[in-house]
Amino acid sequence: MSRFRREASDILAELEQLRAVDAPTHGGRVLSYVYDSGMPELDELAAQAARLVQPVNGLDPTTFTSVATMEAGLVGFARRVLGGDADVVGSVTSGGTESCLLAVKSARDAWRAARAGTPRVPRLVAPVTVHAAFHKAAEYFGLALDLVPVDPITGAVAASDIEERLGDDVALVVVSAPSYPFAGLDPVADVAAVTSPRGIALHVDACIGGFALAFWPDPLPAWDLRVPGVTSLSADLHKYGYAPKGVSVLLTRGRDRQRRQYFATTAWPGYPVVNPTLTGSKPAGPLAAAWAITEALGDDGFARLTSQVARATAALRELVDGIEGLHVVGSPTGPLFAVAVDDGVPADRRVDPHHWADVARVAGWHLQLQPALTQSDGTRLPHTTHLTVTPVTEAVLPDLSAALVAAADAVRGEPPVDGAALLTGLLATLPGGADALAGASVGLDSDTAAGLLGAFGLLGGSDAAGALPERQAPVLALVAALPAPFTERLLIELLARVVEPRD
Ligand SMILES: *Cc1c(COP(=O)(O)O)cnc(C)c1O
């Protein structure tokens, strides 16, 4: 007799039903979020490794010494392939965001320590294409975020534009290898050449690209810890390390610099606390999975998967660039790229990248829509569609290519959604019209925000997730048309309502 209230098989059957409605994590149909090696045996190994350490608490690697051994091994692997010498140390974190947060915290604390008692607010300088995790880090840790505009056509940043921003209040400069939005490989060595003489810390965010670029088949400009002025580097194992979610590494040059990442206290009546990362108790599963995967693949395995990715990326880029009305943004490096409208053809031959993605989605291919953005210098970055390529993409290239061409044919000539017009129309339907919106945007409460989402057709019924719209182009156009703080508040409400407790 089972001591469970429900049969395990019944519970798991329910979970399988829930999973069946998820976007597919395998098979290459989702070109963001998931990184499918195309090797089921690797997933199985990762699952078994995670299972073995399931009860372990990663909080204390002196009690659970398996954690120490695996972490030392994994950081050693990362340090070697990412160009670190014996002066480079590191930590395994729960993901890219945590690695980025910790890099900022350490740099802030080093900056403060060198200016004891300063009341000044430290500044974080980065190209506007830097990952949003650094916006979060600046907010969490009290730095002013100083975003440097990039070339609106190529998405590339000039090292000289970063140099102009440098001063004694800069605690950290962040560059990407490559950036998420446009896959631009920032000029790491040129930036290091201006930060290093000034003693300014330089972080390379290689969260997405690190473990792919490290094995990239084509020669690349120096971008990793081989560049002497790079003081820290983040790379996610749950991206091109093919591990399940929850694992990244943060490498730091210099033990003293890295120790600022830690938190320790004995000033409470409980156990002495020493945390290298943001968490206290933590799972060892993602660490064990990532460790097992790197042990199994070795450099040769990574190189093989990476050449698959590189071939598929080159083929897809060529295909998309060849589609009339679309073009690939800038000079992407690594396994991702963004696609914008080609303004060089007549309007009736243009393909709006968001309509394109919406049609591709109906055919079962999930591309990621990225909004337009006005930079601080007034120039506007176009709205784009993002594709992240994984080893499994190569196997589905013929189907994917056909779907992308067909989707472009289906929407060619269709103008982009006019966000401003859409907004005016929506406001007309709101009780109170535009005034209601203006009033609401000051300290929007949850119920008002939910009401607006309902009026916008983005929320309704008891199953909030089910009410999400089929087409995302209008949503992204609204995001671009509404004031950012207002949209941010609405998005918070949307995500919160999706997980509203159910009885
Ligand atoms: C994914 C990513 C991050 C954040 O990582 P998460 O694992 O999603 O927390 C940071 N920087 C870049 C460039 C990324 O692609």
Side-chain angles (χ1 to χ4, degrees):
M1 263 301 280
S2 166
R3 288 193 285 165
F4 291 171
R5 184 177 66 86
R6 279 174 74 189
E7 289 298 329
S9 58
D10 183 41
I11 297 168
L12 293 174
E14 180 180 342
L15 180 52
E16 275 179 25
Q17 277 178 10
L18 294 173
R19 287 282 291 111
V21 199
D22 281 340
T25 55
H26 288 78
R29 290 199 155 252
V30 178
L31 287 102
S32 61
Y33 299 123
V34 290
Y35 301 79
D36 183 1
S37 67
M39 297 172 64
E41 66 275 31
L42 204 60
D43 289 347
E44 187 50 35
L45 170 67
Q48 286 183 15
R51 183 74 182 81
L52 272 176
V53 298
Q54 181 170 280
V56 164
N57 190 346
L59 169 67
D60 186 356
T62 65
T63 302
F64 304 102
T65 54
S66 63
V67 171
T69 304
M70 289 187 292
E71 180 158 357
L74 201 51
V75 172
F77 168 78
R79 174 173 77 175
R80 178 172 59 78
V81 303
L82 296 165
D85 58 20
D87 197 28
V88 170
V89 289
S91 299
V92 172
T93 72
S94 65
T97 299
E98 190 177 26
S99 292
C100 298
L101 289 172
L102 290 169
V104 173
K105 182 204 124 47
S106 301
R108 180 202 62 180
D109 291 354
W111 178 89
R112 270 191 193 155
R115 292 159 188 79
T118 181
R120 281 184 301 168
V121 173
R123 195 150 47 93
L124 191 169
V125 173
V128 73
T129 45
V130 78
H131 194 276
F134 292 94
H135 294 230
K136 186 178 188 175
E139 184 172 314
Y140 277 19
F141 297 121
L143 290 86
L145 183 62
D146 188 5
L147 295 173
V148 179
V150 298
D151 183 306
I153 307 292
T154 63
V157 72
S160 55
D161 289 345
I162 291 179
E163 183 177 15
E164 278 176 19
R165 306 289 181 110
L166 300 183
D168 185 58
D169 63 334
V170 176
L172 182 66
V173 172
V174 181
V175 289
S176 306
S179 79
Y180 189 89
F182 307 132
L185 180 62
D186 288 336
V188 178
D190 293 347
V191 173
V194 296
T195 53
S196 184
R198 293 170 171 84
I200 297 174
L202 175 62
H203 180 79
V204 173
D205 179 11
C207 277
I208 193 159
F211 288 108
L213 296 195
F215 299 97
W216 203 250
D218 313 316
L220 297 171
W223 61 273
D224 62 9
L225 285 155
R226 271 167 275 252
V227 179
V230 171
T231 51
S232 56
L233 181 148
S234 50
D236 291 351
L237 287 152
H238 64 203
K239 288 176 182 162
Y240 290 95
Y242 309 108
K245 290 296 178 248
V247 56
S248 168
V249 285
L250 172 60
L251 298 173
T252 304
R253 194 187 305 280
R255 286 172 179 75
D256 290 327
R257 183 191 308 278
Q258 195 248 5
R259 303 307 189 242
R260 298 194 185 279
Q261 182 188 310
Y262 281 67
F263 173 81
T265 187
T266 52
W268 76 311
Y271 58 91
V273 168
V274 192
N275 295 154
T277 63
L278 297 172
T279 46
S281 290
K282 62 182 177 187
L287 164 67
W291 174 80
I293 287 170
T294 54
E295 289 294 313
L297 286 179
D299 289 19
D300 290 349
F302 271 99
R304 187 170 41 75
L305 288 174
T306 306
S307 36
Q308 249 170 279
V309 171
R311 282 196 302 269
T313 309
L316 260 190
R317 265 180 63 179
E318 200 182 336
L319 173 98
V320 171
D321 234 359
I323 294 178
E324 187 186 17
L326 288 175
H327 84 100
V328 170
V329 178
S331 320
T333 297
L336 50 150
F337 60 94
V339 184
V341 66
D342 181 1
D343 286 325
V345 299
D348 66 340
R349 303 307 299 164
R350 289 179 197 158
V351 174
D352 178 74
H354 286 180
H355 291 324
W356 179 60
D358 276 340
V359 172
R361 180 176 300 242
V362 174
W365 299 93
H366 298 243
L367 315 181
Q368 195 174 54
L369 290 74
Q370 304 187 130
L373 181 80
T374 303
Q375 307 192 86
S376 60
D377 64 359
T379 59
R380 195 158 170 85
L381 302 176
H383 66 285
T384 55
T385 288
H386 175 109
L387 289 86
T388 289
V389 179
T390 61
V392 81
T393 311
E394 195 174 36
V396 298
L397 261 182
D399 286 351
L400 174 57
S401 303
L404 295 181
V405 168
D409 290 343
V411 301
R412 185 169 291 107
E414 196 179 318
V417 177
D418 182 344
L422 186 63
L423 185 58
T424 310
L426 281 171
L427 289 181
T429 68
L430 279 187
D435 290 345
L437 187 67
S441 58
V442 193
L444 208 58
D445 66 55
S446 305
D447 288 341
T448 310
L452 284 168
L453 286 168
F456 289 172
L458 294 176
L459 198 65
S462 57
D463 185 4
L468 296 179
E470 267 282 289
R471 294 181 60 224
Q472 296 195 355
V475 180
L476 271 281
L478 269 183
V479 166
L482 286 163
F486 182 71
T487 319
E488 286 156 4
R489 180 63 186 85
L490 288 188
L491 291 174
I492 287 170
E493 198 57 38
L494 183 66
L495 266 285
R497 295 282 168 172
V498 167
V499 295
E500 184 79 16
R502 294 174 205 174
D503 293 323

